[in-house]
Amino acid sequence: MTDFTINGNGIQEARTAASRSNSFSQASQSSQTAAEFINSQLQLEAEAREALPYQFDTCTRPLGALRQSLFSCLTCNPPPASSSDPYTPAGVCYSCSISCHGEHTLVELFSKRHFVCDCGTTRLPSSCPCTLRLSEATGAKGGVHSEEPAQGNKYNQNFRNIFCGCGEEYDAHQEKGTMFQCLGLGTTEDGGCGEDWWHPECVVGLGREAYQKDIEKFVANKHDGPTNRPRTSVSVTTIITSESMSASGAQEPDPVTIQTAVANSISVAEQIENEEAAEDDDPPLPPGFPQENDFETFICYKCADAFPWIKRYAGAPGFLPAVYFKPGGNDHDTQEGPKRLAQNSSTSEMVSKKRKADDDDDEMTENEPHAQLKRQRSEAPLTGPTSTTRVLPLTPKKPSSGSTCHLETLPPASNAHISLFMYADFRDHLCRCASCFPLLKPHPQLLEEEETYEPPISEDEEGEQGGSVGTGSLLNRGEAAFNNMDRVRAIEGAMVYAHLKDKVKAFLQPFAESGQVVGAEDIKAYFEKLRGDAEAIKDAAGGASSLSKKGDGGDGSGGGASDGRKEQSGY
């Protein structure tokens, strides 16, 4: 063993060096270089462009009735506490939600058909006018309010932030799982839902509380398996293997993932597994509800009851079998609920695994030229030896007469509450004979797929798409403003900028040479000096000192203290 001896001065010097190092480390962690600040600013601007990719400088009201994305402003138009109290709902378009209600509490309603923006109408208070449209009174842009709203707009409970047949308020931070939007055959006046959003459990009749209990039991049973055994060691082998895989060109694990794995005493592979499982934390679909990949859209039981003729298509080509609404949950009990959830979950996993296998097959197809030929042979029907196969001419099929009604060949409509789930091509299987077409005509969404209006994609200063209006980088916006100035002001601005750049460079030079971190107080003091504020503060302080000395007889000895201050006496 080797002994080390440090004298008192050495200890003091070591402590001082450690203190300086620690102080510099803390300052480095809390400070930013100019390059880091610019990069963080560009990152924030890129995120803003990604979140708001469309232009928001034009209100859609002049375009008339559209299927478009809508928002309900709870700040301008708060709903009453009771649903029975009178309420005047209103919806605003994408552009107005940002430009006119950007700092308000909004409810995203997603797409609604045949709707005209309500911003700047009597449905919203005049204190929040539309800032995008031209005012007829002044001819200027903005200040539009108290206009007559469109009479054709239809509203439902979504504008109160209430969704689904259960009538619950939507909380994006608490809600888990996926909600599905009904195709919306009927409005609330017709007895339908008006394109409402539904919880899967509410479609089949399960109570929300009972379903949540089943979810909790299912999750508890799932996590009580042998895979959750306690671990007491770190799998260093996995980390080394991962690093060697990175050297060979494979995907390298995130350093944060490795650190988290080490902190939790598990392997990197298990940590990645846990992260993927956390991302896919949607609860399983309730029993009786189709898998998400099995249908394109659906019609809820409210809309089906409002137009019962549509029920006859349940189970027909283009439609899945009927999904029944049974309050209480399809013979639901405390034991069977978690079991059926487990069955649904295993089905979902099988679908996911099947899709992954299909993806792997696609990759094999790209890498192996003979894979496609092999698949064609394996998928070909077994018809026996080709020598005995004969192709017989077929008589062309006559087109079906327009008087033949396909709907009449279907079973009668069910009297029960059922929801219909449809494939993407369900419209091709709807009967359009002379007697059925009048049933379809009031519902254009059944005749053809609807297009949802989207504002134009913004283009940034380089002409690339993906940026919103007014969200270009500060550098580009500054250059644009500089280019729009007149020549004299531009030259003066360039001279002032060059002068300021030289001064700031001279101020920062000592910091750069010594390696010292520039603090906020240093910058504040420098610009005070640059503006002359420091001299003004000193002059004011000196004037105050001389006045106090003068009032004290000029000897500065008032009150036994020579700091130039004196208490004010009463009258």
Side-chain angles (χ1 to χ4, degrees), residues 317-356:
F319 292 77
L320 275 69
V323 174
Y324 288 84
F325 171 78
K326 294 182 179 180
N330 300 316
D331 301 329
H332 176 78
D333 57 54
T334 56
Q335 298 297 329
E336 290 297 323
K339 290 182 181 179
R340 292 180 180 176
L341 285 178
Q343 293 174 358
N344 257 28
S345 177
S346 62
T347 305
S348 300
E349 291 176 1
M350 290 175 63
V351 172
S352 299
K353 291 178 181 177
K354 182 179 184 301
R355 185 186 299 111
K356 182 66 170 65

Side-chain angles (χ1 to χ4, degrees), residues 122-373:
T122 54
R123 285 187 170 271
L124 292 170
S126 58
S127 58
C128 184
C130 180
T131 61
L132 299 180
R133 298 201 302 273
L134 293 176
S135 173
E136 295 181 358
T138 62
K141 188 175 183 179
V144 179
H145 63 86
S146 303
E147 290 186 352
E148 284 298 320
Q151 298 300 319
N153 287 351
K154 301 297 181 182
Y155 306 88
N156 64 355
Q157 62 179 2
N158 297 163
F159 292 83
R160 298 172 177 250
N161 194 28
I162 296 177
F163 293 84
C164 188
C166 62
E168 287 189 359
E169 289 191 4
Y170 181 78
D171 186 353
H173 301 287
Q174 299 294 331
E175 191 72 35
K176 291 185 178 181
T178 305
M179 298 181 72
F180 299 90
Q181 187 179 25
C182 174
L183 189 61
L185 288 193
T187 63
T188 54
E189 292 84 357
D190 300 327
C193 71
E195 296 183 275
D196 205 346
W197 290 82
W198 292 78
H199 301 110
E201 61 269 26
C202 296
V203 173
V204 299
L206 287 176
R208 289 278 285 165
E209 295 182 1
Y211 181 66
Q212 291 300 327
K213 291 180 180 178
D214 287 345
I215 291 293
E216 294 173 1
K217 292 180 181 179
F218 167 76
V219 172
N221 295 335
K222 186 176 181 180
H223 290 293
D224 284 343
T227 56
N228 287 337
R229 61 185 183 277
R231 298 174 175 86
T232 58
S233 62
V234 181
S235 178
V236 182
T237 306
T238 306
I239 298 177
I240 297 175
T241 305
S242 299
E243 292 176 353
S244 63
M245 288 172 59
S246 175
S248 64
Q251 184 176 3
E252 182 178 359
D254 189 1
V256 177
T257 302
I258 298 178
Q259 293 174 5
T260 308
V262 174
N264 295 337
S265 299
I266 61 176
S267 69
V268 177
E270 289 169 329
Q271 176 63 24
I272 294 174
E273 244 180 68
N274 294 340
E275 291 178 357
E276 291 177 352
E279 291 176 0
D280 189 19
D281 59 351
D282 285 352
L285 295 171
F289 195 92
Q291 295 297 323
E292 293 186 39
N293 297 326
D294 292 345
F295 66 95
E296 178 70 18
T297 185
F298 92 107
I299 298 173
C300 71
Y301 60 86
K302 285 188 176 181
C303 291
D305 288 342
F307 301 91
W309 58 267
I310 195 68
K311 294 182 181 182
R312 302 185 66 176
Y313 285 100
F319 292 77
L320 275 69
V323 174
Y324 288 84
F325 171 78
K326 294 182 179 180
N330 300 316
D331 301 329
H332 176 78
D333 57 54
T334 56
Q335 298 297 329
E336 290 297 323
K339 290 182 181 179
R340 292 180 180 176
L341 285 178
Q343 293 174 358
N344 257 28
S345 177
S346 62
T347 305
S348 300
E349 291 176 1
M350 290 175 63
V351 172
S352 299
K353 291 178 181 177
K354 182 179 184 301
R355 185 186 299 111
K356 182 66 170 65
D358 293 341
D359 295 341
D360 294 341
D361 290 343
D362 293 339
E363 294 177 2
M364 291 175 60
T365 303
E366 296 176 359
N367 298 329
E368 301 180 11
H370 303 290
Q372 184 66 27
L373 179 61

